[in-house]
């Protein structure tokens, strides 16, 4: 009897051992915090040379270097430097009179940032020109910037001519833009971000690690402008980070990036408000997902597990990026494609409406009998329509970061553009300015 | 030694027994198929009296009866019969000249469908009037309909005067609208749905049970129209179930629901295209979620587990409805609120644009010098703008069933409405027709 009991119990022990082994494998597969290790090399604060950090963190560094070779286009973006102006010539018209109409390429990976800023035709390197490019344009392009900001301040950088800063800027975006050496803690390195948060009564040092895994992206991936003569890098966040709140801010301070030729509209150029778009109540943000969760998914190589620093579109590796949470990644990709297609079509409709408005305002402005007050109303509607459109167009996700918000903004942009056109026709008392589809009538140049 | 082994093994057995118990509890908590049981009562095919079915399925029936008492409004809908015309007086203008401008209340629960159709002011019970209400209007209101369709056909029902059918219609929506007795299989009971599927080469009998848990809702919750003199109930699905495809269909057959007063626009009234909106690639549909998963979540009472037949908005019980998949239901409700608020604001902007268009077209139509061809273009733009707007407005989810699609459609509606207004001003050669915000200028009646 005792013998049978022993046999049965022994059998049960085997089952239990299997369960234990399974549990251990499961636990071992969970994300783990970076283990505290003795650094191999001491790295100075704000060290611009990422290869020095790479001695201590070879996996992260090796993956970061892959941003040099990830030049792959997705349907609407990715890391290939295709020309937006060639892909959608409406943008030549929309940005007429400012540098984006000359050269507007999709961004490549972080390792190319410095190369690409130095070769863009948007630069004005004529030192005597009052519109010469300021040093501020290096802000988001280099790991030298944290050190230069510490030394010169935002004002010093802004007052320095771009060309004069060039000898001191030799590293592309790197470790120093987001990390503190030693602890490798995620930190705010851009003083403009720190100041923008302070203006809202926020202190990034109280943010959780998961919040920082999005906030460090806001060191660069935000809406900003260059304030005043010193070209002081400023985020227009004083009233909040929604497009409506930034619009109100820009209206209040009367800022313009340029004046649109012939219409004389005081224009705003939206930058790349990924952080603001994503955090405006999007479904992924609401679910606690950080930028890094999708753009820097964990990878495993042998015994090591780390965040990929080969930052790029999740559409280039949906199984790794989306598959952490979504089991059916094929279905996810179908959804992303549909959302982006819907956003793209709505964006193009907004562009067509703005081109119509521009053509109408141009004609009304050229008419000496036009009502000046109505014409001014038309200009302000054009200004708002184009800023709202650009807020979605320049944002790097074709709506995916926050689909409903992006589409709501585009619906408003189109409505505003049509109202701008109507106001111009009223100003000139000329219904012939109400032509629609003028972009198509006049060929790809639209002129 | 043997004694210690036995003791250790006995301890392990206790652990294992606990694990087994836990597993059994877990398995028992999984959804189960309805167990095959011997029916207590025989129920005839298409039996309209749901209480007879209730003998065999007392839990489902008891929950169904609760649709009599679930008269609770959500932010934008729910099961309370509030007046849409009072809540948003723009709709009085938008539906001018047709019955929805007289009486347009939110739907109450399924148990009220028959009561409410009989008391709506939209009915025309004047038997001699050529616009008298046809029997077709009972289609989605009663469990008597499957039997009447079998007997009279869609054509017979359509040719019968509503009042003449009344004595034969005594049951509100019930079991017979979705189920086959005996097997309780989910079935298509509305011949118009069967025909619409056939026109697309589809046979519902090949659908999976999960697909049927959405398709039976399409017996009623769809876009439809009454075709020809016989008021033949028809779903405009021949080209597909997207709004663009239905618009093309209606354009091709030249159908109109009514003519808008003074503007003479041939109008379309959208019904309640919940099925089409939801299945047009929405995130939940893409994830395999059926209508019944959210609107009829499983409930447990004692040993019984069944689908709640107290069908209503998931916002009235988000923990039960959303909590099956989403752990943080508070976050889910915040997201739903934000999506609906964004859709609502975009919808109101579209309404304002359509009211402006209507006022402009009215004035142009009243001007004998207006260009007839341009005026006709304005009317067609108004027709499309309003159908697109109504497709979202009449759909019962304030965009939630498919937020991106709803917002894309509203963006198009607004753009079309502004173009209609511009075309009217061109027709009359009168820029004074380009006023915006005319709804606000003329008081709540808008006239």
């Amino acid at each position: 009897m005792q013998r049978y009991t022993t046999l049965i119990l022994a059998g049960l022990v085997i089952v239990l051992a299997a369960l234990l082994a399974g549990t251990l494998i499961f636990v071992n597969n969970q994300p783990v915090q970076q283990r505290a290790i003795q650094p191999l090399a001491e790295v100075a604060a704000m060290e611009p040379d990422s290869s020095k950090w790479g001695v201590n963190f070879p996996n992260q560094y090796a993956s970061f270097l892959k941003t040099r070779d990830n030049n792959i286009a997705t349907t609407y973006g990715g890391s290939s430097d295709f020309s937006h102006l060639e892909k959608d010539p409406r943008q030549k018209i929309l940005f007429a009179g400012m540098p984006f109409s000359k050269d507007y390429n999709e961004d490549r990976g972080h390792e190319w940032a410095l190369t690409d800023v130095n070769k863009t035709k948007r630069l004005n390197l004529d030192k005597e020109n009052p519109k010469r490019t300021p040093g501020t344009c290096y802000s988001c392009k280099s790991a030298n910037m944290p050190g230069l900001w510490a030394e010169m301040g935002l004002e010093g950088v802004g007052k320095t001519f771009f060309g004069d800063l060039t000898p001191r800027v030799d590293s592309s975006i790197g470790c120093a833009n987001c990390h503190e050496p030693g602890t490798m803690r995620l930190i705010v390195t851009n003083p403009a971000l720190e100041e923008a948060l302070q203006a809202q009564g926020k202190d990034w040092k109280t943010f959780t690690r998961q919040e920082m895994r999005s906030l460090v992206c806001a060191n660069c991936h935000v809406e900003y402008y260059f304030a005043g003569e010193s070209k002081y890098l400023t985020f227009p966040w004083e009233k909040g980070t929604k497009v409506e709140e930034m619009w109100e801010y820009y209206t209040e301070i009367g800022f313009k990036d340029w004046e649109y030729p012939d219409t004389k509209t005081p224009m705003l150029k939206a930058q790349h408000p990924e952080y603001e778009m994503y955090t405006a109540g999007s479904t992924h943000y609401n679910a606690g997902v950080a930028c890094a969760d999708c753009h820097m998914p964990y990878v495993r190589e042998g015994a090591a597990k780390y965040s990929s620093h080969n930052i790029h579109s999740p559409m280039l590796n949906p199984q790794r990026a989306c598959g952490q949470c979504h089991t059916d990644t094929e279905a996810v990709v179908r959804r992303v494609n549909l959302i982006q297609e819907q956003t793209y079509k709505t964006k193009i409709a907004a562009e067509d409406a703005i081109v119509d408005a521009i053509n109408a305002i141009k004609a009304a402005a050229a008419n000496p009998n036009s009502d000046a007050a109505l014409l001014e109303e038309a200009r302000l509607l054009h200004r708002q329509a184009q800023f709202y459109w650009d807020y979605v167009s320049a944002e790097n996700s074709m709506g995916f970061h926050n689909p409903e918000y992006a589409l709501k903004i585009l619906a408003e942009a189109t409505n505003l553009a049509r109202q701008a056109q109507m106001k111009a026709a009223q100003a000139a008392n000329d219904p012939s300015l109400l032509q629609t589809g003028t972009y198509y009538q006049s060929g790809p140049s639209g002129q």
Side-chain angles (χ1 to χ4, degrees), chain A residues 39 43 53 57 180-185:
Chain A
V43 177
W53 306 58
F57 298 95
E180 178 179 69
T183 64
M184 290 311 281
R185 190 166 68 114

Side-chain angles (χ1 to χ4, degrees), chain A residues 141-190:
Chain A
K141 308 297 182 186
S142 166
N144 298 92
M145 291 312 298
L148 289 170
W149 281 319
E151 181 190 321
M152 308 168 74
L154 287 171
E155 194 164 358
V157 169
K159 282 180 166 171
T160 308
F161 172 49
F162 184 90
D164 289 342
L165 211 56
T166 301
R168 306 199 55 191
V169 180
D170 59 5
S171 302
S172 191
I173 295 165
C175 312
N177 290 99
C178 297
H179 288 286
E180 178 179 69
T183 64
M184 290 311 281
R185 190 166 68 114
L186 293 170
I187 55 173
V188 167
T189 59
N190 187 340

Side-chain angles (χ1 to χ4, degrees), chain A residues 255-397:
Chain A
F255 180 80
K256 69 174 178 197
D257 277 294
W258 90 105
E259 185 177 281
Y260 196 90
D262 304 327
T263 71
K264 302 198 189 304
T265 310
M267 302 298 289
L268 296 168
K269 173 75 192 84
Q271 315 303 330
H272 28 57
E274 282 86 56
Y275 181 77
E276 299 96 323
M277 181 70 87
Y278 179 62
T279 57
S282 74
T283 193
H284 284 90
Y285 181 70
N286 197 44
V289 178
C291 304
D293 285 316
C294 307
H295 291 281
M296 304 176 69
Y298 287 109
V299 289
R300 178 178 288 282
E301 274 169 22
K305 183 167 188 177
Y306 58 94
S307 298
S308 168
H309 282 56
N310 180 9
I311 300 165
H312 56 58
S313 165
M315 288 300 95
L316 298 179
N317 59 343
Q319 285 188 314
R320 181 159 274 167
C322 316
Q324 304 167 94
C325 298
H326 300 281
T327 45
D328 187 352
T329 49
E330 280 182 34
V332 167
V333 171
R334 273 201 307 277
R335 274 289 297 159
V336 175
N337 288 340
L338 179 61
I339 287 170
Q340 293 190 324
E341 185 196 322
Q342 288 168 329
T343 307
Y344 181 74
K345 286 183 175 168
T346 310
K347 179 177 104 81
I348 293 293
E351 291 175 16
D352 286 339
I354 299 171
V355 171
D356 288 341
I358 286 172
N359 288 331
I361 300 173
K362 267 187 192 174
N367 182 338
N369 298 319
S370 287
D371 181 289
L374 288 172
L375 188 56
E376 192 55 26
E377 282 184 55
R379 288 189 187 110
L380 286 177
L381 287 161
H382 170 210
R383 171 178 156 97
Q384 187 174 8
Q386 187 154 338
F387 180 61
Y388 273 47
W389 157 77
D390 202 13
Y391 195 85
V392 178
S393 183
E395 204 271 345
N396 288 297
S397 75

Side-chain angles (χ1 to χ4, degrees), chain A residues 223-228 232 234-239 245-257 268 383:
Chain A
E223 167 63 12
Y224 62 81
Y225 72 107
F226 297 171
Y232 194 99
T234 310
F235 298 2
W237 288 7
E238 204 178 274
K239 295 174 185 292
E245 294 159 333
M246 294 195 222
W247 164 253
E248 210 186 310
Y249 172 90
Y250 281 132
T251 302
E252 208 168 286
I253 67 167
F255 180 80
K256 69 174 178 197
D257 277 294
L268 296 168
R383 171 178 156 97

